[in-house]
């Protein structure tokens, strides 16, 4: 039994490491140019190519003009005092001069900190944190490996301690959208702490989850309590579902800290704390009685259901525990199978690549879900059923490039064959 559970844990950890949650942070925009070449004169289906080219050229010129307009207006969002340095910093970054880019953007950020928040209205914190995020990205790209393990900044305190003494910032109250930006930044800091093997991951993730709960109206009475209590287990999930999100944040982004903290507790064996976080994240991504859920959210929810099934199987494997774990795994499998047959995003006139609708998450999770179901069937002595599931798992893991999954499934197949011969 321990060998089966160890295989499940390894595959779930492998899946979680491959499927990173995305983060969207508004930064100064940069546009790309367009180019065209003139095709030879000919006709296609009765339409002269020269006329078709003229139409496409007109469209290209219009798109280029729109791009230049957006490029100009994106910089006018920032006050004149920082606009020049931002433009120069982005230009230097695009030209590959990261050292010069960092100097320009650092000067822009320092100037921004000295200005009253009214200068950045509306949404001053979104703009200030956008500059900080851009600076962090450039500094990270420029830094060598020796600098990657330096302590992380206490960015959660912006704009209070960091801008102390700057006109007006100490009395500024963040809007809900700006508080959500802090959630995104705290989650990113947790990711960086994990990548750099620092001891700050739990601190940032707890802060992000508690802020999400405060924003949704949950956990307001005891905001300073550690999230690893069971207080949230019986809380209603509808408040999270109803939380109004800005255009730059999706439900996937909002649920990211919940899943990451749950995964951290699961890694440390704190199952009683991990399970409520996974349940809240699942309910957020796949709300009851809601039909218009995106494929990406469905696939993320299926991944979490599989993780929940694996967590349940860490308990003593009684028949009741096995039934509960198998129910979650089969629910995950059903969601994945329905997502696979759902029509994908259409292409514009059949050109280009289809839009990424999150289906890849289902493809990655499927092999692990099949493996877990095979393990549960093996525990129930259904060796024929287990064999079929392990075969499908090996095939799916090979298809999506999860080498460890192929190895685990093949090892499980040998174990089942051996048991069938002995039996």
């Amino acid at each position: 039994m321990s060998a089966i559970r160890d295989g499940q844990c390894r595959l779930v950890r492998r899946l979680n490491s491959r499927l990173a949650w995305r983060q969207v942070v508004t930064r100064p925009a940069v546009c790309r140019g367009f180019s065209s070449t003139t095709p030879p004169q000919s006709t296609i289906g009765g339409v002269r190519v020269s006329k078709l080219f003229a139409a496409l050229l007109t469209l290209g010129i219009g798109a280029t003009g729109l791009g230049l307009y957006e490029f100009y207006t994106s910089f006018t969002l920032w006050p004149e005092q920082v606009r020049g340095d931002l433009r120069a910093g982005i230009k230097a970054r695009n030209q590959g001069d990261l050292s010069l880019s960092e100097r320009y953007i650092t000067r822009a950020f320092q100037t921004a900190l000295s200005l009253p928040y009214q200068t950045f209205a509306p949404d001053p914190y979104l703009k200030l944190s956008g500059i900080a995020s851009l600076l962090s990205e450039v500094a990270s790209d420029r830094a060598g490996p020796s600098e990657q393990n330096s302590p992380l900044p206490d960015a959660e305190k912006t704009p209070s301690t960091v801008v102390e003494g700057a006109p007006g910032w100490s009395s500024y109250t963040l809007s809900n959208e700006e508080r959500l930006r802090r959630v995104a930044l705290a989650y990113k800091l947790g990711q960086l702490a994990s990548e750099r093997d620092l001891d700050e991951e739990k601190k940032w993730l707890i802060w992000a989850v508690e802020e999400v709960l405060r924003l949704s109206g949950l956990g307001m009475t005891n905001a300073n309590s550690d999230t690893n209590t069971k207080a949230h287990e019986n809380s209603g999930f509808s408040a999270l579902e109803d939380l109004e999100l800005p255009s730059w944040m999706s439900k996937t982004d909002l649920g990211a800290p919940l899943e990451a903290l749950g995964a951290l507790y699961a890694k440390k064996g704190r199952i009683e704390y991990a399970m409520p976080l996974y349940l809240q994240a699942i309910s957020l991504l796949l709300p009851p009685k809601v039909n218009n859920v995106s494929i990406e959210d469905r696939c993320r929810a299926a991944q979490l259901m599989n993780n929940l099934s694996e967590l349940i199987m860490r308990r003593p494997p009684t028949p009741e525990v096995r039934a509960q774990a198998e129910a979650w795994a089969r629910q995950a499998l059903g969601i994945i199978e329905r997502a696979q047959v759902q029509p994908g995003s259409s292409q514009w006139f059949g050109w280009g690549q289809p839009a990424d609708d999150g289906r890849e998450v289902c493809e990655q999770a499927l092999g692990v879900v099949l493996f877990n179901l095979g393990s549960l069937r093996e525990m129930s002595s259904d060796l024929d059923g287990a064999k079929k599931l392990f075969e499908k798992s090996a095939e799916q893991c090979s298809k999506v490039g999860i080498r460890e999954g192929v190895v685990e499934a093949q090892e499980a197949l040998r174990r089942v064959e051996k048991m069938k011969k002995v039996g």
Side-chain angles (χ1 to χ4, degrees), residues 120-145:
F120 294 88
D123 303 318
Y125 181 74
L126 292 182
K127 295 170 185 174
L128 179 63
S129 60
I131 300 174
S133 177
L134 177 64
L135 176 58
S136 173
E137 182 179 310
V138 171
S140 178
D141 290 341
R142 189 190 65 82

Short mmCIF file of all heavy atoms in Angstrom, two decimals, residues 120-145:
data_model
loop_
_atom_site.label_atom_id
_atom_site.label_comp_id
_atom_site.label_asym_id
_atom_site.label_seq_id
_atom_site.Cartn_x
_atom_site.Cartn_y
_atom_site.Cartn_z
N PHE A 120 -0.94 60.28 -9.52
CA PHE A 120 -1.16 59.04 -10.27
C PHE A 120 -2.64 58.69 -10.40
O PHE A 120 -2.97 57.63 -10.93
CB PHE A 120 -0.44 57.88 -9.57
CG PHE A 120 1.05 58.01 -9.58
CD1 PHE A 120 1.71 58.70 -8.57
CD2 PHE A 120 1.80 57.44 -10.59
CE1 PHE A 120 3.08 58.82 -8.57
CE2 PHE A 120 3.18 57.55 -10.60
CZ PHE A 120 3.83 58.24 -9.59
N ALA A 121 -3.52 59.55 -9.90
CA ALA A 121 -4.95 59.23 -9.94
C ALA A 121 -5.42 59.10 -11.40
O ALA A 121 -4.92 59.80 -12.29
CB ALA A 121 -5.74 60.32 -9.22
N PRO A 122 -6.38 58.19 -11.66
CA PRO A 122 -6.99 57.26 -10.71
C PRO A 122 -6.13 56.01 -10.53
O PRO A 122 -5.22 55.77 -11.30
CB PRO A 122 -8.32 56.91 -11.39
CG PRO A 122 -8.00 57.00 -12.85
CD PRO A 122 -7.00 58.12 -12.99
N ASP A 123 -6.43 55.24 -9.50
CA ASP A 123 -5.74 53.99 -9.18
C ASP A 123 -4.24 54.19 -9.02
O ASP A 123 -3.43 53.56 -9.73
CB ASP A 123 -6.01 52.94 -10.26
CG ASP A 123 -7.49 52.66 -10.45
OD1 ASP A 123 -8.20 52.55 -9.44
OD2 ASP A 123 -7.93 52.56 -11.61
N PRO A 124 -3.82 55.04 -8.12
CA PRO A 124 -2.38 55.31 -8.00
C PRO A 124 -1.54 54.10 -7.63
O PRO A 124 -0.41 53.95 -8.13
CB PRO A 124 -2.32 56.39 -6.90
CG PRO A 124 -3.60 56.26 -6.16
CD PRO A 124 -4.61 55.82 -7.16
N TYR A 125 -2.06 53.23 -6.77
CA TYR A 125 -1.25 52.09 -6.36
C TYR A 125 -1.04 51.11 -7.50
O TYR A 125 0.02 50.46 -7.59
CB TYR A 125 -1.89 51.38 -5.16
CG TYR A 125 -1.09 50.19 -4.68
CD1 TYR A 125 0.09 50.39 -3.96
CD2 TYR A 125 -1.49 48.89 -4.94
CE1 TYR A 125 0.84 49.32 -3.53
CE2 TYR A 125 -0.75 47.81 -4.51
CZ TYR A 125 0.42 48.03 -3.80
OH TYR A 125 1.15 46.96 -3.39
N LEU A 126 -2.04 50.96 -8.38
CA LEU A 126 -1.87 50.08 -9.55
C LEU A 126 -0.70 50.56 -10.40
O LEU A 126 0.10 49.76 -10.90
CB LEU A 126 -3.15 50.04 -10.38
CG LEU A 126 -4.37 49.37 -9.77
CD1 LEU A 126 -5.53 49.38 -10.76
CD2 LEU A 126 -4.05 47.93 -9.37
N LYS A 127 -0.59 51.88 -10.59
CA LYS A 127 0.47 52.42 -11.42
C LYS A 127 1.82 52.33 -10.73
O LYS A 127 2.83 51.97 -11.35
CB LYS A 127 0.14 53.86 -11.80
CG LYS A 127 -1.11 53.95 -12.67
CD LYS A 127 -1.59 55.37 -12.85
CE LYS A 127 -2.91 55.40 -13.63
NZ LYS A 127 -3.48 56.75 -13.71
N LEU A 128 1.85 52.65 -9.43
CA LEU A 128 3.10 52.57 -8.70
C LEU A 128 3.62 51.13 -8.65
O LEU A 128 4.79 50.87 -8.90
CB LEU A 128 2.91 53.12 -7.28
CG LEU A 128 4.14 53.10 -6.38
CD1 LEU A 128 5.23 53.99 -6.95
CD2 LEU A 128 3.77 53.52 -4.97
N SER A 129 2.73 50.19 -8.36
CA SER A 129 3.15 48.79 -8.30
C SER A 129 3.50 48.26 -9.68
O SER A 129 4.31 47.34 -9.82
CB SER A 129 2.04 47.92 -7.67
OG SER A 129 0.85 47.98 -8.43
N GLY A 130 2.91 48.84 -10.74
CA GLY A 130 3.29 48.45 -12.09
C GLY A 130 4.73 48.79 -12.40
O GLY A 130 5.45 47.99 -13.00
N ILE A 131 5.17 49.98 -11.97
CA ILE A 131 6.58 50.36 -12.16
C ILE A 131 7.49 49.44 -11.35
O ILE A 131 8.52 48.97 -11.84
CB ILE A 131 6.80 51.83 -11.76
CG1 ILE A 131 5.93 52.76 -12.60
CG2 ILE A 131 8.28 52.21 -11.92
CD1 ILE A 131 5.98 54.22 -12.16
N ALA A 132 7.08 49.16 -10.11
CA ALA A 132 7.89 48.28 -9.25
C ALA A 132 7.99 46.88 -9.85
O ALA A 132 9.05 46.24 -9.81
CB ALA A 132 7.27 48.22 -7.86
N SER A 133 6.88 46.40 -10.42
CA SER A 133 6.89 45.07 -11.02
C SER A 133 7.82 45.02 -12.23
O SER A 133 8.56 44.06 -12.42
CB SER A 133 5.46 44.69 -11.43
OG SER A 133 5.44 43.44 -12.09
N LEU A 134 7.77 46.07 -13.06
CA LEU A 134 8.66 46.14 -14.22
C LEU A 134 10.12 46.17 -13.78
O LEU A 134 10.98 45.48 -14.35
CB LEU A 134 8.32 47.38 -15.04
CG LEU A 134 9.21 47.65 -16.26
CD1 LEU A 134 9.07 46.54 -17.29
CD2 LEU A 134 8.85 48.99 -16.88
N LEU A 135 10.41 46.96 -12.73
CA LEU A 135 11.78 47.04 -12.21
C LEU A 135 12.25 45.68 -11.70
O LEU A 135 13.39 45.26 -11.94
CB LEU A 135 11.85 48.09 -11.11
CG LEU A 135 13.19 48.26 -10.39
CD1 LEU A 135 14.30 48.60 -11.38
CD2 LEU A 135 13.08 49.32 -9.30
N SER A 136 11.36 44.97 -10.99
CA SER A 136 11.70 43.65 -10.48
C SER A 136 12.01 42.68 -11.61
O SER A 136 12.95 41.88 -11.52
CB SER A 136 10.53 43.11 -9.63
OG SER A 136 10.75 41.78 -9.25
N GLU A 137 11.23 42.76 -12.67
CA GLU A 137 11.43 41.86 -13.82
C GLU A 137 12.78 42.12 -14.48
O GLU A 137 13.53 41.17 -14.79
CB GLU A 137 10.30 42.06 -14.82
CG GLU A 137 10.36 41.16 -16.04
CD GLU A 137 9.20 41.41 -16.97
OE1 GLU A 137 8.04 41.44 -16.49
OE2 GLU A 137 9.44 41.60 -18.18
N VAL A 138 13.10 43.40 -14.70
CA VAL A 138 14.37 43.74 -15.34
C VAL A 138 15.54 43.37 -14.43
O VAL A 138 16.55 42.80 -14.89
CB VAL A 138 14.40 45.25 -15.68
CG1 VAL A 138 15.80 45.67 -16.14
CG2 VAL A 138 13.37 45.57 -16.75
N ALA A 139 15.44 43.67 -13.13
CA ALA A 139 16.52 43.35 -12.20
C ALA A 139 16.75 41.85 -12.11
O ALA A 139 17.89 41.38 -12.03
CB ALA A 139 16.21 43.93 -10.82
N SER A 140 15.65 41.08 -12.15
CA SER A 140 15.77 39.62 -12.08
C SER A 140 16.45 39.08 -13.33
O SER A 140 17.27 38.17 -13.25
CB SER A 140 14.38 39.00 -11.92
OG SER A 140 14.46 37.59 -11.90
N ASP A 141 16.11 39.64 -14.49
CA ASP A 141 16.74 39.19 -15.74
C ASP A 141 18.22 39.54 -15.78
O ASP A 141 19.03 38.81 -16.36
CB ASP A 141 16.04 39.83 -16.95
CG ASP A 141 14.64 39.28 -17.16
OD1 ASP A 141 14.35 38.19 -16.63
OD2 ASP A 141 13.84 39.95 -17.85
N ARG A 142 18.57 40.66 -15.18
CA ARG A 142 19.97 41.11 -15.21
C ARG A 142 20.83 40.40 -14.17
O ARG A 142 22.03 40.19 -14.38
CB ARG A 142 20.04 42.62 -14.96
CG ARG A 142 21.42 43.23 -15.18
CD ARG A 142 21.49 44.67 -14.70
NE ARG A 142 21.32 44.78 -13.26
CZ ARG A 142 22.29 44.57 -12.37
NH1 ARG A 142 23.51 44.24 -12.77
NH2 ARG A 142 22.06 44.70 -11.09
N ALA A 143 20.22 40.00 -13.04
CA ALA A 143 20.98 39.44 -11.92
C ALA A 143 21.59 38.09 -12.31
O ALA A 143 21.01 37.30 -13.03
CB ALA A 143 20.09 39.28 -10.70
N GLY A 144 22.77 37.84 -11.80
CA GLY A 144 23.41 36.54 -11.99
C GLY A 144 22.92 35.54 -10.98
O GLY A 144 22.18 35.87 -10.04
N PRO A 145 23.31 34.26 -11.11
CA PRO A 145 22.86 33.22 -10.18
C PRO A 145 23.19 33.50 -8.73
O PRO A 145 22.45 33.14 -7.83
CB PRO A 145 23.60 31.96 -10.68
CG PRO A 145 23.93 32.27 -12.11
CD PRO A 145 24.16 33.74 -12.18
#
